[in-house]
Amino acid sequence: MDETQERQSAAPNADAPSAVPTSLTSTDQPEQTDSATIKAHEVKKVSDCPVNASDAYIVDWDSPEDPANPKNWSIKQKWAITLVVSSYAFISPVSSSMMAPAAENIAREFGVTSKTVTALFTSIYVLAYGLGPLTLAPLCEMYGRARILQLSNLFYMAWNLGCGFAQTPAQLIVFRFLSGVGGSAAPSIGGGVLGDVWKAEQRGQAVGIYTLAPLLGPVIGPVCGAWIAEKSTWRWVFWSTSIVCVAIQTLGFLYLKETFAPVLLERKAQRIRATMDPEKAAVQDVRTIYDGADREWKNIVQKSLIRPFALSFYEPIIQVFAAYLSLIYGMLYIFLTTLPSIFEGVYGERVGIAGLHYFALGIGMSAMAQLGARFLDISYKRLCARNGGVGKPEYRLPMMMPGSILLPVGLFITGWTARPSVHWIAPDIGIAIVGGSMITLFLSIQTYIIDAFTLHAASALAALAFFRSMAGFGFPLFAPAMYSALGYGKGDTVLACVTIAIGIPAPFFFYRYGERIRNASRYAKKA
C-alpha cells in the first residue's frame, strides 16, 4: 500500500488539514471522511473558526508536511525507534529458548521426573506469548504504543527476574507464564509502530530488522543457555537476561516516543479544548478525525478489546495467513528441538559446543534478512511503477516464493547428512538454509499485514501471534516421539514433504488471490 492509500486507511486522512467543521456518525466508520471529502471544505485553523454549537471541529495534521506526524519525523528518529522496538522484540524470545539447555538441570534440582513437566518449563512461555497480545495490542490502540511497550517490558523484566528465585516447579511455571505475557508485547505492537513511522516504500528494511530480532532469540538463547548450564547455575539464565533488559529499557525511556496517530491527535485536541474560554463563547465539541459523534469510552474499550478476536474470526485474509504461518512456525520449533540431539547424540559434542551450531541458523537468517529487506523495497517500487504508481500489499509477497522452495531443501540436507560419517558442516549448511527461508517468509507476511492493516496492524499481528504461538507450543510436544520412531532423515523428510505440498503453492496462491480475499475483509478493505 502506498502513502496515498495509507492516508485513506480506516478513513482518516493522515495528512489532512488541522480542523474541519463537520460531524462523523460512527466511530466504527471513519472512512466516510476521506481525503476528497475533507479537501472539499474551506479549511481554517480551530482558533480561527467561528464557534457554532451545531458543528464539531475535527482535528487532524496541519498539513502533509506536519512535523508532528510520525511519518514526517527525521530518518534518525525513525531508526532510533525501530532499533529500540527491535531490541524489545529480541530480548524476550531469548528468554523463551535460553532455558531449554538448562531444563534438565532445573528438573534435577526440583526433583521433577515427568518429561511433560520438564518440557512445560520452556513451552509455557510460548503459550503466554500467544495469549498476551490479544489484550496488549488493543490496549496500545487505546493508550498508545510507547506506554504499553514500556510497561509490558517492565512487567516482563520483573517476572523474569523472579524466575531466578523460584523455589518450586509451580513457582517457575507461573513466573515464566507471567514474564511471557509481558514479553509478548513487542512482537505484535512493534509492527504497528513501524507502520506508524515508515511510509510504505521505505518500510522493507525496517521490518527486516524488526522481523529478524525475535527470530534471533531462538538462536542466541540456546547458545548462551548451554554455556550457563555447563559453567554456572541455571538461575543465571534469568538473571543475565534481566540485566540486559534493564539496558534496553533505559534506551526505551530515552528514545521511544509515542507514534500512534489517534493518540497524538487526541493530545492535540485536548490542548485545543484547554484554550477555549466558556465565558466568551459556548464550548465547542472538538474531536479528532478518528472520533465519531457517539464516541464513548465504554464503546471504545469494547471495540478495541474484541478487535483481535474479530480479526481472527471474520477476516479471511487473517485466517489464511494464520493457518500458513502456524504451519511454518510449528515446523520451525519441531526442527529446533532436534538440534541439540543431533550434535550431542550423533556427533558426541558437549552441551556448550553443541549449542554453537545454532549460529548456523542465525547466519542464514541474518544474511537473508539483509538481502530480503532490500529486495522487498526494490520489488515493491517496481511493481508499483507497473501499476501506475499505486501500491498493493500483495506486492510484498514475491519474496515468499524462493523462501518456500528453499525451506524443504534445507530440511532434506539437515536430515540426511546428520550422520557420524558426514562432517558436521553439512547439517549446518542445511540449518542455515532453513533459517534463511524462514526469515523471507516471516518478513513478507509481516510487511503484508502492516500494509493491509496499517491503523490496526497491532491487533492484526496479535491475531497471527496467537495462532503461531499455539503451534509453537503444541508441535514440539510430539517431536521427540516422531524423531525417535523415524530418525532424523525420515523425520525431516516428513516436514519437507509437508512444505512441498502446502508451503510452496501457498505464496503463489496468496499473490494471485490475495487482493480478492483482502477485499472480502472488513478491516483490510478499509486499509
Side-chain angles (χ1 to χ4, degrees):
M1 178 185 308
D2 61 18
E3 180 65 9
T4 302
Q5 288 174 299
E6 283 187 21
R7 288 200 293 265
Q8 296 173 348
S9 70
N13 175 3
D15 299 320
S18 63
V20 178
T22 186
S23 296
L24 299 178
T25 59
S26 171
T27 56
D28 206 32
Q29 294 180 330
E31 71 275 12
Q32 293 175 356
T33 307
D34 60 10
S35 178
T37 303
I38 291 172
K39 291 180 180 179
H41 291 273
E42 180 181 358
V43 177
K44 295 181 180 180
K45 298 288 186 182
V46 171
S47 58
D48 299 332
C49 290
V51 175
N52 185 339
S54 64
D55 290 333
Y57 289 121
I58 307 302
V59 179
D60 199 357
W61 306 117
D62 292 339
S63 70
E65 294 77 30
D66 188 347
N69 186 343
K71 284 187 170 62
N72 295 326
W73 291 351
S74 69
I75 294 296
K76 183 183 295 186
Q77 284 180 296
K78 292 180 180 182
W79 275 114
I81 290 171
T82 299
L83 293 176
V84 168
V85 171
S86 298
S87 298
Y88 282 164
F90 165 76
I91 188 61
S92 57
V94 169
S95 296
S96 171
S97 56
M98 192 171 178
M99 74 159 292
E104 293 298 332
N105 294 353
I106 297 172
R108 281 196 298 269
E109 181 170 325
F110 288 153
V112 174
T113 56
S114 171
K115 293 292 183 182
T116 302
V117 175
T118 302
L120 197 60
F121 290 152
T122 301
S123 60
I124 193 67
Y125 192 94
V126 182
L127 177 63
Y129 232 60
L131 296 175
L134 296 178
T135 301
L136 296 174
L139 288 176
C140 90
E141 293 172 357
M142 291 189 290
Y143 299 105
R145 319 277 201 204
R147 184 180 303 175
I148 299 301
L149 272 172
Q150 291 168 346
L151 291 176
S152 297
N153 198 55
L154 286 172
F155 191 84
Y156 151 76
M157 183 174 64
W159 290 110
N160 187 65
L161 184 65
C163 288
F165 295 97
Q167 301 299 316
T168 65
Q171 287 180 1
L172 181 60
I173 290 172
V174 171
F175 293 170
R176 284 277 287 172
F177 180 83
L178 293 173
S179 66
V181 170
S184 68
S188 59
I189 298 175
V193 173
L194 300 189
D196 293 340
V197 301
W198 293 100
K199 298 178 182 179
E201 64 273 14
Q202 302 173 325
R203 203 172 283 156
Q205 293 189 41
V207 177
I209 293 175
Y210 168 72
T211 304
L212 176 64
L215 292 178
L216 281 181
V219 174
I220 296 177
V223 175
C224 298
W227 286 102
I228 290 174
E230 186 174 323
K231 302 293 184 181
S232 182
T233 173
W234 60 267
R235 298 182 186 275
W236 271 105
V237 166
F238 303 103
W239 295 339
S240 60
T241 49
S242 296
I243 291 171
V244 175
C245 188
V246 170
I248 293 174
Q249 185 68 28
T250 302
L251 293 175
F253 284 136
L254 293 175
Y255 297 108
L256 183 60
K257 299 165 59 179
E258 184 53 58
T259 63
F260 194 43
V263 171
L264 294 175
L265 290 175
E266 178 58 31
R267 292 176 183 175
K268 181 177 179 179
Q270 290 174 355
R271 292 193 296 269
I272 292 172
R273 296 185 193 108
T275 63
M276 292 183 172
D277 190 346
E279 295 182 358
K280 295 181 179 179
V283 175
Q284 181 65 27
D285 184 16
V286 178
R287 299 193 297 269
T288 75
I289 198 168
Y290 297 95
D291 297 341
D294 62 347
R295 180 178 175 90
E296 295 180 3
W297 187 248
K298 180 180 179 181
N299 294 335
I300 298 171
V301 172
Q302 288 178 343
K303 290 178 181 178
S304 297
L305 290 179
I306 67 171
R307 187 173 293 119
F309 300 96
L311 291 171
S312 301
F313 288 104
Y314 299 114
E315 295 289 296
I317 197 66
I318 290 291
Q319 293 165 359
V320 295
F321 273 115
Y324 181 79
L325 201 56
S326 297
L327 175 67
I328 298 300
Y329 202 73
M331 288 195 294
L332 173 63
Y333 265 75
I334 291 176
F335 180 74
L336 290 175
T337 61
T338 68
L339 301 190
S341 55
I342 286 176
F343 296 104
E344 292 174 33
V346 176
Y347 291 99
E349 297 176 347
R350 300 196 324 269
V351 174
I353 298 298
L356 294 177
H357 292 276
Y358 281 95
F359 279 127
L361 192 70
I363 291 171
M365 287 181 174
S366 300
M368 286 304 295
Q370 296 305 310
L371 294 174
R374 287 172 171 78
F375 175 79
L376 197 66
D377 282 339
I378 293 172
S379 64
Y380 182 83
K381 292 176 182 177
R382 288 180 178 176
L383 291 170
C384 287
R386 293 179 187 176
N387 194 39
V390 179
K392 298 179 182 179
E394 286 72 31
Y395 294 163
R396 304 293 189 180
L397 300 180
M399 199 175 66
M400 288 183 68
M401 299 167 187
S404 65
I405 296 171
L406 287 173
L407 180 56
V409 172
L411 291 171
F412 278 127
I413 292 175
T414 303
W416 290 106
T417 59
R419 301 196 300 266
S421 59
V422 180
H423 194 272
W424 54 260
I425 195 65
D428 273 357
I429 292 172
I431 292 169
I433 294 174
V434 169
S437 65
M438 286 290 181
I439 196 68
T440 60
L441 298 174
F442 277 76
L443 177 57
S444 294
I445 294 173
Q446 289 257 57
T447 316
Y448 180 96
I449 294 299
I450 293 172
D451 283 2
F453 296 86
T454 307
L455 185 64
H456 301 303
S459 291
L461 291 173
L464 290 184
F466 171 76
F467 288 106
R468 78 169 187 240
S469 296
M470 293 303 100
F473 171 72
F475 277 38
L477 297 180
F478 62 79
M482 182 181 76
Y483 283 101
S484 177
L486 301 177
Y488 298 115
K490 293 181 180 179
D492 281 350
T493 298
V494 170
L495 300 184
C497 289
V498 173
T499 61
I500 291 172
I502 301 175
I504 292 179
F508 296 90
F509 172 83
F510 294 149
Y511 187 75
R512 177 68 178 84
Y513 299 103
E515 184 174 6
R516 184 183 303 179
I517 299 172
R518 180 166 51 83
N519 288 336
S521 299
R522 178 183 172 191
Y523 289 91
K525 187 176 181 180
K526 291 180 184 179

